[in-house]
Amino acid sequence: MRSKARFSALRIALGLAVGVLTAAAAHAAADPQLCVACHGPNGNSQNPAVPALAGQPAQFISTQLVMFREKRRVNEQMSPIAATLANADISALGKFFSTQQREAPAKKPADDVMASGKALTEKFNCVACHGAALKGQQHIPRLAGQQADYLRTQLRGFKAGTRFDMDGNMTAAAQPLGEPDIDVLAQYLSALE
Ligand code: HEC
Ligand code: HEC
């Protein structure tokens, strides 16, 4: 009798725990806490392979989330997360991260690297699309203060045609870049505030 009562108490407790977990999972989607584990505090990434989200245009963030969810852009870490997001979550997350302050970059490359990087962004018209301060606009991402390794990987991907690209503009823009250009651009852009 006693053990039966204990057993049903256990079942009730388990049932409640499962209920609470399911409710938590249903609400976790729009919770930026789910994102900061990888994207860093307030979207200021501390992982060279993970892009910062703080201060990215809201439209860029939400467009990319939809593209991950629709499997047009694929990444083994990011795709399963995006798969759980509803449209309302996506627009809330875009708003949230776009209004977070981007932290000032920790590293500053040598002056000659900064000067060459600036010259390359003018020569190859990066500023025409990504904005004079390279902070992005609408569906075009902010590059200023982004992780250098992430920028390098993406530029190599656009050049090779393996990085998702909505309208082909960025794939075209990456074609004339050599590996030394990509390296200088990544160092320069990551050091911009
Ligand atoms: C398990 C780690 C992980 C989690 C959790 C995660 N992300 Fe990501 N996210 C990544 C990685 C890695 C990339 C880079 C993918 C690539 O290289 O194409 C990425 C890319 C992105 C991008 C594209 C950014 C750009 O500059 O192109 C956006 C937007 C994004 N994530 C938003 C989110 C949001 C919002 C959440 C929370 C709902 C989230 N991520 C949770 C790992 C994660
Ligand atoms: C004609 C407009 C245009 C020009 C010129 C251009 N870009 Fe882009 N760039 C884009 C667009 C649009 C995207 C977003 C592509 C997408 O995900 O669909 C993008 C994406 C990127 C990304 C990916 C960033 C991220 O967070 O995922 C990098 C890096 C980048 N551009 C660097 C550059 C550099 C460096 C130059 C100059 C050499 C440049 N771009 C020139 C339009 C442009």
Side-chain angles (χ1 to χ4, degrees):
M1 233 9 216
R2 227 193 202 176
S3 68
K4 221 179 180 182
R6 250 194 226 149
F7 180 64
S8 36
L10 184 66
R11 277 181 56 160
I12 290 168
L14 274 177
L16 278 175
V18 169
V20 168
L21 281 178
T22 319
H27 288 282
D31 185 349
Q33 288 311 316
L34 183 71
C35 320
V36 301
C38 293
H39 288 279
N42 297 327
N44 281 291
S45 171
Q46 290 158 350
N47 179 335
V50 180
L53 301 177
Q56 265 305 359
Q59 193 187 330
F60 172 71
I61 297 174
S62 38
T63 309
Q64 296 297 316
L65 287 172
V66 171
M67 294 301 134
F68 278 118
R69 188 182 64 187
E70 309 306 324
K71 303 191 171 65
R72 299 205 32 218
R73 183 172 174 187
V74 177
N75 175 267
E76 59 179 19
Q77 286 187 288
M78 193 51 219
S79 298
I81 304 281
T84 66
L85 302 175
N87 289 346
D89 300 326
I90 286 179
S91 91
L93 288 162
K95 255 186 220 142
F96 175 80
F97 284 110
S98 70
T99 54
Q100 301 307 304
Q101 184 70 36
R102 178 73 62 98
E103 278 170 16
K107 274 194 216 152
K108 183 111 188 171
D111 288 351
D112 60 327
V113 174
M114 292 304 281
S116 317
K118 187 175 194 316
L120 287 171
T121 59
E122 285 155 10
K123 177 179 173 196
F124 292 111
N125 282 328
C126 318
V127 284
C129 295
H130 291 273
L134 296 151
K135 289 188 175 167
Q137 49 181 335
Q138 296 169 324
H139 68 292
I140 307 180
R142 171 182 178 133
L143 306 173
Q146 186 54 279
Q147 289 286 347
D149 281 2
Y150 176 77
L151 292 171
R152 249 181 233 112
T153 314
Q154 300 308 307
L155 287 170
R156 288 180 188 137
F158 283 118
K159 185 164 183 188
T162 52
R163 157 69 150 90
F164 162 79
D165 184 358
M166 210 166 6
D167 55 15
N169 277 336
M170 190 53 220
T171 303
Q175 294 316 304
L177 304 178
E179 190 57 30
D181 300 328
I182 290 179
D183 182 55
V184 168
L185 282 164
Q187 291 189 59
Y188 166 70
L189 294 166
S190 69
L192 293 179
E193 281 195 32

